[in-house]
Amino acid sequence: TAVVTDSRCHGHVTANGAFERPVRIPAAIQGARLAGAGLKPNMLLITKVEDSYMSLAEDDIIPKAHKVSYIKRLKSKIAALPVDAKGVPLTDDSEGEGGDDTMGSRGSYTAATVGVAAALKATDMVVGGQCTNVFCATRPPGHHAGRELHPMKAISNGFCLLNAAACAAIYATTPQSEGGLGLKRVCVIDFDVHHGNGTQDILCSTYDPRYLYVSLHAGGAHINGFDDEDSEEEEFRKRLGGSTTEGIYPGRCGDSSPHDGVLNIPLGKKITASDVGTALISQVSPRVEEFSPDLIILSAGFDAHKNDPLGMGALSALDFGNVTEVACQMAFRSCSGRILSVLEGGYGVPCCRPRDDIFLPGNPDDQLLELGEDLPDGMDDPVPLTFRQKLSKCHAEGFLHCVKEHVTAFAKCSNRK
């Protein structure tokens, strides 16, 4: 088992009060360390992605996943930002629509490219037999980023810039004569609370026998947005387009499966462990076994956790470990256990820095998450007070614990090999 990360991901700086905060990576690394990464034999913690993978991502693979017009527009928008800009909308269209949830800074394109490069490295490690499984702890997430803006008619890009999971699948199936790994079939299983419209758009807009995209997510044809009476909850969800007449973000695209290359499983308004377990055993496992992939890629979102601020799931950290184990069992049955995961959502990280604008002596609600040396000196974490309070329950169990269980399950499965 290996965990791959890179400090260049910290260069993607979002707005104050954003769900998708830079501290997610230090929290993920701490979770991975608690599972033994970098500490136990056979559990590597790799903290730098080689430049060769950056070049491979930028020159060869990203242009296969995203339209050149999308890439150019994103790069030029980011390059034009002031050096100290933070939390600037990056993906709005020409009418200025749909950019509010996907913000960033001058380092955002490099951070997103690092995410793709890490996934390509992980693919090489797993397919080449160096590791049974690899977790990529990178950000920004990617599964809502499609070939161009508004994939599958989504209103926005949902925090995503470049789609690392889709890029890894493309790299794995590109013929060896063209610089890829030459695999025949790759399955992507997405357990983020939202449907991965970008991944479906890139890999499966029409049937392609090389790919099977599976998504377990909140939603369903009977769901018409949220009617939660808690207006503050509603406001949080709206930031990710959660509350619309078009159902749960990213819209209706995950309600059904357009062809045999897609298995969308909407699980209602709130995702429960029993529903996920039933879906995995009765629908996902048989379909994956029938497809018989050479590699499984997990879009690992932990935002269906019971304490996640999105409030759309009821899973525990252990449940995420169980989901990971079931996915590993599928990989053992079809492809010698070869599986890798790419971090998507999951926002339950308590505040990591004291606020400099207020002084609250001895306030028990203002407990900080201690990340030690994993939290870089220059990394701020400006979280508004109401959001801080909302995140405080994640001290007991949150994003960090989900990552720990995910990596623990990977290690357990690789030891079984």
Side-chain angles (χ1 to χ4, degrees):
T1 295
V3 176
V4 179
T5 190
D6 194 298
S7 60
R8 284 172 286 184
C9 290
H10 306 334
H12 176 61
V13 184
T14 46
N16 291 5
F19 275 64
E20 208 289 297
R21 294 144 56 211
V23 294
R24 294 177 68 235
I25 296 303
I29 298 307
Q30 182 135 121
R33 284 191 201 277
L34 289 171
L39 302 169
K40 292 181 181 174
N42 303 325
M43 285 191 75
L44 303 173
L45 177 58
I46 297 163
T47 57
K48 177 88 168 152
V49 179
E50 295 91 335
D51 288 343
S52 58
Y53 284 108
M54 293 292 284
S55 300
L56 177 66
E58 183 132 29
D59 300 339
D60 297 339
I61 306 299
I62 292 169
K64 285 186 168 84
H66 301 282
K67 284 195 170 176
V68 173
S69 56
Y70 172 82
I71 297 166
K72 276 187 175 169
R73 180 187 187 141
L74 191 57
K75 281 176 102 166
S76 60
K77 191 152 201 162
I78 289 168
L81 294 177
V83 177
D84 57 351
K86 297 176 184 178
V88 179
L90 299 179
T91 57
D92 54 329
D93 58 26
S94 54
E95 282 79 45
E97 295 293 316
D100 286 357
D101 65 9
T102 307
M103 301 183 174
S105 57
R106 273 286 282 275
S108 292
Y109 194 83
T110 299
T113 305
V114 166
V116 173
L120 302 183
K121 178 180 172 69
T123 305
D124 268 352
M125 291 174 76
V126 170
V127 175
Q130 274 179 271
C131 293
T132 307
N133 45 49
V134 179
F135 168 57
C136 300
T138 51
R139 59 179 284 279
H143 73 150
H144 298 307
R147 286 175 299 169
E148 54 190 323
L149 282 177
H150 306 296
M152 303 189 76
K153 300 181 180 170
I155 59 166
S156 69
N157 256 42
F159 311 156
C160 300
L161 298 178
L162 299 173
N163 195 320
C167 285
I170 289 168
Y171 173 57
T173 55
T174 295
Q176 289 181 327
S177 60
E178 295 172 29
L181 299 183
L183 302 188
K184 287 189 171 67
R185 289 177 302 280
V186 173
C187 173
V188 177
I189 301 174
D190 188 333
F191 58 79
D192 187 277
V193 81
H194 300 101
H195 174 248
N197 57 310
T199 309
Q200 183 175 322
D201 177 58
I202 291 169
L203 300 178
C204 304
S205 57
T206 56
Y207 176 70
D208 184 329
R210 297 175 298 174
Y211 305 121
L212 173 64
Y213 175 68
V214 178
S215 179
L216 304 117
H217 52 269
H222 60 293
I223 289 184
N224 198 21
F226 278 91
D227 53 9
D228 199 314
E229 288 173 15
D230 183 338
S231 60
E232 191 182 299
E233 290 278 315
E234 191 79 338
E235 191 51 44
F236 280 118
R237 289 200 189 100
K238 275 180 185 163
R239 289 192 209 168
L240 195 52
S243 179
T244 75
T245 53
E246 289 301 304
I248 292 167
Y249 180 87
R252 293 288 176 206
C253 44
D255 289 355
S256 57
S257 305
H259 52 68
D260 282 351
V262 175
L263 178 59
N264 281 327
I265 306 175
L267 295 172
K269 234 176 218 193
K270 200 155 192 159
I271 292 187
T272 65
S274 61
D275 285 349
V276 169
T278 301
L280 284 171
I281 301 306
S282 67
Q283 295 184 70
V284 182
S285 285
R287 177 66 76 86
V288 171
E289 210 156 320
E290 180 191 1
F291 179 68
S292 189
D294 302 312
L295 172 70
I296 293 176
I297 297 169
L298 301 178
S299 265
F302 301 103
D303 40 5
H305 185 261
K306 60 188 178 183
N307 290 337
D308 193 274
L310 284 177
M312 292 165 66
L315 303 190
S316 69
L318 271 174
D319 292 331
F320 282 106
N322 293 335
V323 167
T324 306
E325 275 203 59
V326 172
C328 287
Q329 286 159 12
M330 292 180 214
F332 276 114
R333 284 196 292 272
S334 65
C335 51
S336 308
R338 298 194 295 210
I339 188 167
L340 65 102
S341 63
V342 175
L343 179 62
E344 300 288 1
Y347 310 105
V349 181
C351 187
C352 300
R353 294 281 191 210
R355 288 185 67 183
D356 52 14
D357 57 335
I358 54 168
F359 179 62
L360 300 172
N363 185 344
D365 292 334
D366 211 44
Q367 185 187 353
L368 298 175
L369 179 64
E370 292 293 336
L371 293 176
E373 289 181 7
D374 288 321
L375 184 65
D377 286 344
M379 186 177 283
D380 296 328
D381 192 28
V383 181
L385 191 57
T386 52
F387 195 21
R388 287 168 84 96
Q389 290 163 342
K390 191 176 195 55
L391 292 168
S392 62
K393 58 188 172 186
C394 298
H395 283 289
E397 185 176 293
F399 172 77
L400 183 155
H401 308 89
C402 295
V403 172
K404 178 194 170 194
E405 295 302 333
H406 177 62
V407 176
T408 297
F410 263 3
K412 195 190 293 185
C413 292
S414 64
N415 289 337
R416 205 177 288 154
K417 193 176 179 186

